[in-house]
């Protein structure tokens, strides 16, 4: 079962995003979600930053899964970004991050949160998928790659 695809509208797949730091990246993500889920920018930004302070959400291989629990959020939502210039993320392999899947979940969605994070980790452990995401020409191609992926 693909838990990722329903969270990822094509409008939340952004390629060749240019940001200069992890903080600027979280500001960019907060602005994206503020528009699409109608919650305050500061709420989203603070949640992502607070989680990151607990420990890096980078997996290695240029991948990170920043995530946060958001009070007032009705359902889980995601966004996939590919950065033009990789950003330092304190990854376990010390590699900067190029691909991020940001996950926002309602505060009370503990089990769903863990299931989605597990599926994302499994998805990003697929070397062929990672390589395809790095070179996909557009958002539709990325969406198709994720739609075709299965555990």
């Amino acid at each position: 079962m693909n838990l990722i695809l329903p969270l990822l509208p094509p409008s939340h797949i952004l390629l060749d995003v240019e940001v200069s730091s992890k903080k600027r990246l979280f500001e960019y993500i907060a602005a994206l979600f503020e528009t699409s889920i109608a919650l305050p920018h500061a709420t989203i930004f603070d949640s992502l930053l607070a989680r990151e302070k607990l420990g890096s959400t980078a997996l290695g291989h240029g991948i990170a899964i920043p995530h946060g629990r958001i009070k007032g959020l009705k359902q889980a939502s995601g966004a996939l970004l590919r950065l033009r210039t990789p950003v330092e993320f304190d990854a376990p392999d010390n590699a900067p991050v190029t691909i991020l899947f940001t996950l926002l979940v309602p505060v009370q969605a503990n089990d769903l949160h863990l299931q989605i994070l597990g599926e994302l980790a499994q998805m990003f452990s697929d070397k062929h998928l990672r390589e395809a995401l790095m070179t996909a020409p557009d958002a539709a191609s990325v969406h198709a790659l994720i739609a075709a992926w299965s555990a």
Side-chain angles (χ1 to χ4, degrees):
M1 179 172 170
N2 191 327
L3 295 173
I4 311 309
L5 199 60
L7 307 176
L8 189 62
S11 62
H12 280 199
I13 299 172
L14 303 165
L15 306 180
D16 301 322
V17 172
E18 189 66 55
V19 293
S20 58
S21 67
K22 191 187 306 187
K23 183 178 178 186
R24 295 286 176 251
L25 174 64
F26 289 167
E27 289 172 348
Y28 184 94
I29 292 167
L32 169 69
F33 280 109
E34 177 182 37
T35 302
S36 65
I37 62 175
L39 287 173
H41 181 281
T43 300
I44 298 162
F45 176 81
D46 292 347
S47 177
L48 293 172
L49 198 58
R51 170 55 191 87
E52 201 65 29
K53 286 181 179 178
L54 296 175
S56 177
T57 56
L59 302 178
H61 303 289
I63 305 290
I65 308 174
H67 53 281
R69 296 175 187 267
I70 308 291
K71 186 176 181 180
L73 186 63
K74 302 291 184 224
Q75 63 187 29
S77 186
L80 189 140
L81 285 78
R82 185 175 71 200
L83 304 180
R84 178 174 290 134
T85 305
V87 170
E88 288 304 317
F89 233 87
D90 301 318
D93 62 358
N94 294 318
V97 165
T98 302
I99 297 206
L100 302 102
F101 189 100
T102 302
L103 174 65
L104 301 181
V105 296
V107 165
Q108 69 280 10
N110 293 331
D111 289 343
L112 178 63
H113 187 188
L114 295 175
Q115 288 172 356
I116 295 168
L117 287 174
E119 189 166 300
L120 284 166
Q122 193 174 12
M123 184 177 80
F124 286 130
S125 70
D126 181 330
K127 181 181 179 188
H128 297 294
L129 179 64
R130 285 194 318 265
E131 290 171 352
L133 291 172
M134 294 287 191
T135 59
D138 53 37
S141 299
V142 169
H143 201 262
L145 286 167
I146 293 171
W149 179 82
S150 63

